[in-house]
Amino acid sequence: MELARLTVTLRPGHGTLARLSATLNNHHVLALVYTAASAGSATAVVRVPRSDAPRAQHKLRRLVDVIDVSLDVPAPAGGGEAPEAAAVRRNAAAPARP
């Protein structure tokens, strides 16, 4: 399973973590790390399957406490192309069936 990492910068307050987790309730969250470094800023790092990442990012951006959400999709191991790209390339090269 390909994973993506969402880094969320937000203003901490009463119930911020609860709103964050409630927003992600319908997604397959594999890890969630919440850090409040100072009184004015907090960071959450969320790991989700790659297929869930765009929708989770969109939902997180709508939270009132959120300042920014960045999406980091790591390159496939071994420096090869993404599995989706390889599948598209294979299907394009397949001969047409009669």
Side-chain angles (χ1 to χ4, degrees):
M1 173 185 335
E2 295 288 322
L3 301 179
R5 181 180 67 201
L6 296 162
T7 304
V8 185
T9 306
L10 32 85
R11 289 180 297 274
H14 183 71
T16 301
L17 183 56
R19 282 189 292 280
L20 181 70
S21 57
T23 299
L24 296 170
N25 187 39
N26 292 328
H27 298 284
H28 188 84
V29 175
L30 301 168
L32 173 67
V33 177
Y34 181 82
T35 307
S38 66
S41 142
T43 303
V45 178
V46 183
R47 291 200 184 271
V48 295
R50 191 178 198 163
S51 59
D52 285 355
R55 181 70 181 138
Q57 181 183 26
H58 176 74
K59 288 178 78 174
L60 287 168
R61 285 187 190 275
R62 295 176 57 192
L63 281 175
V64 71
D65 302 324
V66 170
I67 298 167
D68 185 43
V69 181
S70 64
L71 174 60
D72 180 29
V73 179
E81 63 186 338
E84 296 86 4
V88 168
R89 188 175 36 78
R90 277 194 307 272
N91 290 338
R97 294 185 187 185

